[in-house]
């Protein structure tokens, strides 16, 4: 039984994240999507709201669990006896940050492997930041987020 952990901020989950989750859920027996909770960094959604939105968006996938964690990712991975960390890689601009994180995690735990998956082309330019901005400016976000996320996002930004 191989377990993969997909960590992130997910503030909120968008179709690019969902694309990576769907791909990973076919590759590993058990997928844990983990919302990283950082007390110093507040977002638009609370960690619990993010978890609920991910759960609602992934309910069609039988092997996906959703939770949140605080502290170092390497500890969370170890506690959950996971085999790999999955991250999405969209463009060259993501590479430096992802490379830095993967190498830091490898230094903290030499057994931790990071695997990168690419979303499909239509999701490659998506980011939570940009989706929130479009929602705030009353643009159409239908094609970027699951419906349940759209409803909550519009509530938050007051559109
Ligand atoms: O969606 P994001 O913001 O790119 O995700 C970044 C995340 C949450 C995966 C990263 O910040 C993280 O792993 N945070 C947990 C704290 C940690 O382990 N930091 C050291 C490794 S970079």
């Amino acid at each position: 039984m191989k377990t993969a952990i997909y960590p992130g901020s997910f503030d909120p989950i968008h179709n690019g994240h969902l694309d990576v989750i769907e791909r990973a859920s076919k590759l590993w027996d058990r997928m844990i999507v983990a919302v990283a909770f950082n007390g110093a960094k507040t977002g638009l959604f609370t960690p619990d709201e993010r978890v609920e939105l991910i759960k609602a968006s992934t309910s069609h996938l039988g092997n996906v669990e959703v939770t949140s964690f605080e502290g170092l990712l390497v500890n969370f991975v170890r506690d959950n006896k996971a085999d790999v960390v999955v991250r999405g890689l969209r463009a060259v601009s993501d590479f430096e940050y992802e490379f830095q994180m993967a190498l830091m995690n490898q230094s903290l735990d030499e057994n931790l492997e990071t695997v990168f998956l690419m979303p499909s082309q239509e999701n490659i330019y998506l980011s939570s930041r940009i989706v929130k901005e479009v929602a705030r400016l009353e643009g159409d976000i239908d094609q970027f987020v699951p419906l349940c996320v759209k409803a909550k996002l519009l509530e938050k930004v007051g559109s």
Side-chain angles (χ1 to χ4, degrees):
M1 176 99 163
K2 293 279 184 192
T3 302
I5 288 181
Y6 180 31
S9 303
F10 304 109
D11 185 37
I13 183 171
H14 55 64
N15 288 348
H17 294 130
L18 199 52
D19 189 331
V20 170
I21 295 169
E22 284 170 350
R23 285 167 199 278
S25 76
K26 289 184 202 143
L27 296 172
W28 285 278
D29 305 303
R30 181 178 172 230
M31 268 287 295
I32 303 176
V33 182
V35 176
F37 173 68
N38 176 353
K41 211 172 126 188
T42 55
L44 185 61
F45 291 89
T46 66
D48 286 347
E49 287 173 329
R50 297 178 206 187
V51 166
E52 285 315 308
L53 288 176
I54 302 169
K55 279 186 181 166
S57 309
T58 57
S59 58
H60 59 295
L61 301 168
N63 61 344
V64 174
E65 297 162 34
V66 189
T67 188
S68 61
F69 73 100
E70 206 172 349
L72 283 177
L73 175 63
V74 286
N75 294 338
F76 181 77
V77 171
R78 215 178 287 139
D79 292 347
N80 284 278
K81 298 182 174 45
D83 301 283
V84 296
V85 165
V86 173
R87 292 283 292 170
L89 203 54
R90 292 166 300 187
V92 180
S93 51
D94 279 346
F95 184 76
E96 199 171 330
Y97 171 58
E98 294 298 335
F99 192 62
Q100 199 179 18
M101 275 203 300
L103 286 180
M104 173 55 76
N105 287 330
Q106 202 184 66
S107 314
L108 295 171
D109 181 347
E110 61 176 2
N111 295 315
L112 191 149
E113 298 296 347
T114 304
V115 173
F116 297 100
L117 296 180
M118 281 191 302
S120 57
Q121 273 192 50
E122 71 259 28
N123 292 322
I124 220 132
Y125 57 92
L126 283 181
S127 74
S128 297
R129 185 186 60 77
I130 251 170
V131 169
K132 283 183 283 193
E133 185 171 323
V134 173
R136 251 183 227 117
L137 298 173
E138 300 180 16
D140 182 7
I141 54 167
D142 278 22
Q143 48 182 322
F144 309 134
V145 291
L147 269 181
C148 58
V149 175
K150 178 187 172 186
K152 286 281 169 200
L153 190 48
L154 294 185
E155 254 175 49
K156 289 266 181 194
V157 300
S159 295

